[in-house]
Amino acid sequence: MQADLNIFQVDFESTSTLVVKQANDNPVISTSQIKGDLQDIQARCGSVGLVIVDYVQLIEPMRRERGENRVQEIDSILKQLRAIAKQFNCAVLGLAQLKREVDSRSEKRPTKADFRESGGFEQEAAVMLGLYREDYYDKQTTQKGIFEVSVLKSRFSSETTVNLLFDERFGQFKNLAKSNY
């Protein structure tokens, strides 16, 4: 079942942009279904700018090969998502689950190796980000509400970390460099 299409106008710094939000909350979805949804949006709106997949490991492979394990399936799904990005000339943001071992080690900050079920993330992704929040693990920290966003891999820039303030009241990230927060 396809979700309703919500279209609204946004004015951002005097540049008017048509924003289309379409959610497909079907618990079982494949890359071919994602591609079909994007073709519909493209036919109605002209282009696609961003696709968000929450989360990659829930996507079903288009076809299962005999003897293929889950790591191989995820690698195939990631290749298909990259092909979708190229076909529609858009960014694909794929959220992914980390391995549980992160919680059992002393250093909790995520690394590229922590992405669950696949090294394909590192191979296929143009950018990999890792999120870390000190106050999740240490309730006594002075870093309450601070999120570290680490660029674990980037084809376009160097690896770095940026600190953001997370405002739980609004579910919003804010730039710490601005002093009015």
Side-chain angles (χ1 to χ4, degrees), residues 133-136 138-147 164-166 168:
R133 197 176 87 204
E134 180 76 25
D135 63 356
Y136 179 82
D138 179 5
K139 303 299 181 201
Q140 307 303 317
T141 184
T142 59
Q143 299 291 309
K144 296 211 184 293
I146 306 298
F147 263 83
L164 299 174
L165 176 65
F166 182 67
E168 288 187 47

Side-chain angles (χ1 to χ4, degrees), residues 22-38:
Q22 180 168 335
N24 185 333
D25 60 356
N26 187 342
V28 179
I29 191 166
S30 68
T31 52
S32 60
Q33 290 169 301
I34 292 170
K35 190 174 174 179
D37 287 349
L38 294 175

Side-chain angles (χ1 to χ4, degrees), residues 52-70:
I52 301 174
V53 178
D54 182 13
Y55 68 93
V56 171
Q57 287 97 331
L58 289 179
I59 296 175
E60 288 292 316
M62 286 199 309
R63 61 188 173 281
R64 294 191 190 275
E65 301 293 330
R66 184 178 297 249
E68 189 174 52
N69 64 32
R70 187 64 179 152

Side-chain angles (χ1 to χ4, degrees), residues 31-164:
T31 52
S32 60
Q33 290 169 301
I34 292 170
K35 190 174 174 179
D37 287 349
L38 294 175
Q39 288 169 332
D40 291 345
I41 291 170
Q42 191 173 48
R44 287 182 287 198
C45 303
S47 67
V48 175
L50 173 66
V51 176
I52 301 174
V53 178
D54 182 13
Y55 68 93
V56 171
Q57 287 97 331
L58 289 179
I59 296 175
E60 288 292 316
M62 286 199 309
R63 61 188 173 281
R64 294 191 190 275
E65 301 293 330
R66 184 178 297 249
E68 189 174 52
N69 64 32
R70 187 64 179 152
V71 170
Q72 292 167 322
E73 288 177 355
I74 296 294
D75 288 350
S76 175
I77 289 164
L78 291 166
K79 284 179 174 68
Q80 293 163 26
L81 289 174
R82 186 163 183 201
I84 286 170
K86 287 182 179 184
Q87 178 182 347
F88 291 93
N89 193 30
C90 67
V92 174
L93 174 62
L95 305 179
Q97 186 174 14
L98 298 179
K99 296 176 184 174
R100 295 198 188 278
E101 289 86 42
V102 171
D103 289 330
S104 63
R105 66 182 191 225
S106 61
E107 177 55 65
K108 309 282 191 217
R109 287 170 178 82
T111 67
K112 290 181 274 194
D114 292 325
F115 282 76
R116 189 171 176 183
E117 296 178 319
S118 179
F121 287 101
E122 189 172 353
Q123 181 179 335
E124 297 300 328
V127 176
M128 291 175 70
L129 301 176
L131 302 178
Y132 172 77
R133 197 176 87 204
E134 180 76 25
D135 63 356
Y136 179 82
Y137 297 102
D138 179 5
K139 303 299 181 201
Q140 307 303 317
T141 184
T142 59
Q143 299 291 309
K144 296 211 184 293
I146 306 298
F147 263 83
E148 291 180 17
V149 180
S150 298
V151 178
L152 303 174
K153 174 199 172 184
S154 176
R155 292 186 180 146
F156 314 111
S157 68
S158 60
E159 295 175 6
T160 189
T161 298
V162 175
N163 290 330
L164 299 174

